[in-house]
Amino acid sequence: MQSLINKYKRIRKNKFLEKTYTGKYAFVGIGSHSFNNLYPVLAYLHADLSYIVTKTEATAKTINENYKSVKGTTNLDKVLKDKNIKGVFVSAHPDAHFELAKQILQAGKNVFIEKPPCKTLKELQELRLIEKDSSGSAFVGLQKRHAPVYQIIRNKVKSKKVIYYKLEYSAGNYPEGDTITDLFIHPLDLAVFIYGPAKIEFIKKFKTGKGVETWLLELSHPDDIIGRIELSTDFWWTRGQENMIINTEKHRFEAKGINELKYIDKPKSIMNVPLEKIKAPVISEHSLYQKNNFLPVRDHNDLYASGYFNEIQAFLEMCEHNEGNISTLDSMVPVYELMDKMKK
């Protein structure tokens, strides 16, 4: 038995040590989001990061002094002319994403563009046209599409009769940017990604200060699915929430952010009389996903549970092995249609 265990550990270790991706990549942006969420995954996957493009020469110099395998530069044009670069990651200020994505696609390179890829539906349509004439492709960095919880939900609802769902997204005050395209794009995208294109049936906005607002929406989706969504920056960042409840004919699904997903069987009746009124009920609760903070392994790491690992791996697979892309610019159209209507 011990020899089998040792053999398994060797296989697992060798698989981790092997270099799967042979292409070279560049990164535009060096903020806290990149350092905390994106660079660690690239390192884990042994991706060859050749360039980091920065705004200032001072930052580029610091990179060159401290990271021998990466070249810091302020010259994006030079990077895009490097034929060895298979893809460019962009995680800069949201206001810069549109122009950066245009420039990279026009150079014929694949681009991983963090959300939001642009500010308006008009800009999105322009990016789509540029992509059609480019030899490169765009991959939008909406990591929650790749989070295990939402992947499971998406697969489960395909075979269930969904009656309605409720989605709550609560964060803290956001005075420094656009709450809709910078923050609410995540829950709105999840609604479209899981349930299909949406039409706004009801909308109400409450604003109590700069960056402090709450939106109540009722959406209708194909197959008569109704969604009720609360989006708010009138709460705490340290206690932010993103919870989803899905009501189907036979089950109730409950997702607590990226950490937990379970479903509960609905009670049975005999001749319209609830069985639980006749005898003590046996409530069947099933766990579909549970993030385990006790085990320090990849699948229970926050970066994996949040979807960052899977999305970056998917982009590398797209660049090197022509794998499919579930985060295309085309898939963003119904999301931007919703956001544009909210802004009007």
Side-chain angles (χ1 to χ4, degrees), residues 25-30 39 49-76 78-79:
Y25 295 87
F27 204 111
V28 181
I30 195 165
Y39 286 127
L49 191 59
S50 298
Y51 300 95
I52 295 178
V53 183
T54 70
K55 279 186 177 181
T56 67
E57 291 289 353
T59 305
K61 182 181 177 182
T62 301
I63 292 169
N64 290 326
E65 290 173 347
N66 291 280
Y67 300 93
K68 301 304 179 185
S69 61
V70 184
K71 180 172 178 55
T73 179
T74 58
N75 192 339
L76 178 57
K78 179 183 176 182
V79 173

Side-chain angles (χ1 to χ4, degrees), residues 135-327:
S135 55
S137 298
F139 186 109
V140 182
L142 284 159
Q143 83 280 355
K144 290 180 182 178
R145 289 189 179 198
H146 301 265
V149 163
Y150 296 116
Q151 284 283 323
I152 294 170
I153 290 175
R154 189 172 187 240
N155 290 328
K156 286 290 181 183
V157 300
K158 289 177 182 177
S159 60
K160 307 290 182 185
K161 173 57 180 173
V162 176
I163 303 170
Y164 69 86
Y165 68 90
K166 293 189 290 184
L167 175 57
E168 175 196 6
Y169 178 95
S170 300
N173 185 4
Y174 189 72
E176 67 267 34
D178 186 327
T179 57
I180 295 176
T181 52
D182 295 356
L183 300 181
F184 299 156
I185 188 173
H186 274 303
L188 292 170
D189 179 67
L190 283 176
V192 170
F193 179 65
I194 295 171
Y195 305 104
K199 177 184 175 183
I200 297 177
E201 302 291 348
F202 171 83
I203 185 168
K204 181 70 175 178
K205 177 184 177 183
F206 305 90
K207 186 170 183 177
T208 56
K210 183 174 174 55
V212 183
E213 55 192 61
T214 299
W215 295 76
L216 302 178
L217 298 103
E218 184 173 292
L219 305 181
S220 59
H221 299 267
D223 300 320
D224 298 322
I225 298 174
I226 296 296
R228 291 187 174 178
I229 300 179
E230 178 184 332
L231 310 172
S232 180
T233 54
D234 194 12
F235 199 53
W236 296 84
W237 281 107
T238 51
R239 298 193 67 180
Q241 298 180 39
E242 184 176 76
N243 301 315
M244 185 182 293
I245 293 173
I246 308 157
N247 189 37
T248 71
E249 283 187 328
K250 295 183 179 180
H251 310 287
R252 173 187 167 104
F253 291 81
E254 298 178 358
K256 292 184 178 179
I258 59 168
N259 297 315
E260 180 184 343
L261 174 62
K262 64 183 178 181
Y263 73 91
I264 303 166
D265 294 334
K266 285 189 174 179
K268 295 180 180 178
S269 301
I270 297 178
M271 298 179 67
N272 293 324
V273 178
L275 264 180
E276 59 183 318
K277 289 191 174 182
I278 300 173
K279 62 177 183 178
V282 177
I283 299 175
S284 246
E285 186 173 303
H286 312 267
S287 176
L288 293 172
Y289 181 84
Q290 180 71 55
K291 183 172 172 293
N292 189 329
N293 292 318
F294 181 77
L295 295 174
V297 296
R298 184 200 67 177
D299 289 5
H300 296 294
N301 185 282
D302 282 344
L303 294 179
Y304 188 87
S306 298
Y308 289 112
F309 182 95
N310 286 336
E311 73 163 355
I312 290 175
Q313 187 175 50
F315 178 68
L316 297 177
E317 290 288 338
M318 183 195 84
C319 290
E320 301 202 14
H321 304 129
N322 295 316
E323 291 293 330
N325 177 5
I326 65 168
S327 298

